Amino acid sequence: MASKLQLFGLLFLSFLAATSASNNFNQYFDITWGNGRGKILNNGQLLTLSLDKASGSGFRSKNEYLFGKIDMQLKLVPGNSAGTVTTYYLSSLGDSHDEIDFEFLGNLSGDPYIVHTNIYSQGKGNKEQQFYLWFDPTKDFHTYSILWNPQSIIFSVDGTPLREFKNFESKGIPFPRSQAMSIYSSLWDADNWATRGGLVKTDWAQAPFTASYGNFNIQACVWTSSSGSSCSSKTQSSSNQSWMKQSLDSTGHARIQWVQKNYMIYNYCTDTKRFPQGLPPECSLA
C-alpha cells in the first residue's frame, strides 16, 4: 500500500511539474542577443531584457507556429524611456516574410507610451495603427495578446481588443496564413524615430533600461518542416483549438469601438495624405 501511495505521489508531482512548465521561459524561449543583457530568472518564471548605450537584447521562441493565441505579460521600461522601443511580435524569415507586431514606444516621464501595431504579409506592411493605453504599463504586468487564426488577427490588452485585421484574401488582399512564424521580443534604441519622430533622444544617464516579462501562455499549432502542423494531429481535440475559430462577438466589437474612439492616435486607414491615390482596399471592407 505504501509503495502505491509513493507511486501516486510521484505521478502527482510529475503532473504538477508538467503543467507548471507550460509557463517556463527556459522551456519555450532562447535569449538570442545582448551579451548577457537578457536574463531568465526565478527558475524560468521571469525574463528581463536590458538596454544600455552599448547594446539592447532580445529573445526568440524555440518553436515556429502556424496560427495560435499568444498571451505575454509585460512590464515596460519605467521613468524616462524616451528613445527606447520594446517589441513583441511574430515573424517568419525572408524578404517576403509575414509579421504581426506589437511595439511599445517609450516617452518622457509622465507622458504616455505609444502602442504601435502593424501587420506584414508577403513582405509588405504599411498597416499601422497606434494607441495610448488607459493605464500606466510600467507599474505592473499587463497581458498583451495576439490571436492569429485563418479568419482574422486580433490584438488585445488585458482581454480588451485594440484592433482586428480580417482575412479578405477573397478580395485580393494578402493575409498571413502560409508561413510559420516564431515569437520574438527585443528592447533596443530607436531614438532616431521612436519619440516625437526622433526629436527626443535617449537619456543614457538613465541606463540600463529594463523591460520585464512575468508570464505567458501559448495555444498554438507548432510547425516543423518534417511533420507540418501539430494541429493536424488526430490527438488534438477540438476543445484545445477553440481559438482557431474564435472571433469578436458584439461585446468585442463594442470594446474595439471604445478603444478606437478614446485611445487611437493613428490609423493608416484614415491617412489620405499618405495614400493620395486612395486608401488601401481593406479599409473600406473592415
Side-chain angles (χ1 to χ4, degrees), residues 73-76 135-144 158 212:
Q73 287 192 352
L74 283 82
K75 183 163 62 174
L76 297 176
F135 54 84
D136 184 344
T138 72
K139 297 296 186 183
D140 205 349
F141 289 97
H142 292 270
T143 302
Y144 302 87
D158 291 338
S212 301

Side-chain angles (χ1 to χ4, degrees), residues 92-138:
S92 60
L93 300 175
D95 293 338
S96 298
H97 74 293
D98 293 341
E99 190 171 324
I100 304 170
D101 285 346
F102 263 122
E103 297 186 1
F104 306 91
L105 313 186
N107 218 327
L108 294 169
S109 297
D111 289 342
Y113 263 82
I114 292 174
V115 180
H116 175 100
T117 65
N118 200 1
I119 296 159
Y120 288 76
S121 184
Q122 300 174 20
K124 296 180 180 179
N126 299 326
K127 295 176 172 58
E128 299 92 343
Q129 289 184 356
Q130 294 183 337
F131 307 84
Y132 288 142
L133 292 167
W134 47 95
F135 54 84
D136 184 344
T138 72

Side-chain angles (χ1 to χ4, degrees), residues 61-188:
S61 62
K62 296 178 185 288
N63 292 321
E64 292 182 300
Y65 304 97
L66 189 59
F67 303 123
K69 185 176 187 294
I70 317 298
D71 304 315
M72 187 71 71
Q73 287 192 352
L74 283 82
K75 183 163 62 174
L76 297 176
V77 175
N80 182 1
S81 58
T84 71
V85 175
T86 306
T87 69
Y88 150 52
Y89 61 102
L90 304 175
S91 183
S92 60
L93 300 175
D95 293 338
S96 298
H97 74 293
D98 293 341
E99 190 171 324
I100 304 170
D101 285 346
F102 263 122
E103 297 186 1
F104 306 91
L105 313 186
N107 218 327
L108 294 169
S109 297
D111 289 342
Y113 263 82
I114 292 174
V115 180
H116 175 100
T117 65
N118 200 1
I119 296 159
Y120 288 76
S121 184
Q122 300 174 20
K124 296 180 180 179
N126 299 326
K127 295 176 172 58
E128 299 92 343
Q129 289 184 356
Q130 294 183 337
F131 307 84
Y132 288 142
L133 292 167
W134 47 95
F135 54 84
D136 184 344
T138 72
K139 297 296 186 183
D140 205 349
F141 289 97
H142 292 270
T143 302
Y144 302 87
S145 303
I146 295 171
L147 171 65
W148 169 40
N149 63 30
Q151 294 80 240
S152 63
I153 295 165
I154 300 172
F155 296 79
S156 301
V157 178
D158 291 338
T160 296
L162 301 183
R163 72 176 291 190
E164 178 184 34
F165 183 79
K166 292 183 178 180
N167 184 344
F168 287 120
E169 283 187 303
S170 61
K171 305 292 186 181
I173 299 165
F175 183 86
R177 67 174 183 87
S178 59
Q179 298 187 59
M181 295 195 266
S182 299
I183 305 167
Y184 294 86
S185 191
S186 61
L187 173 59
W188 53 289

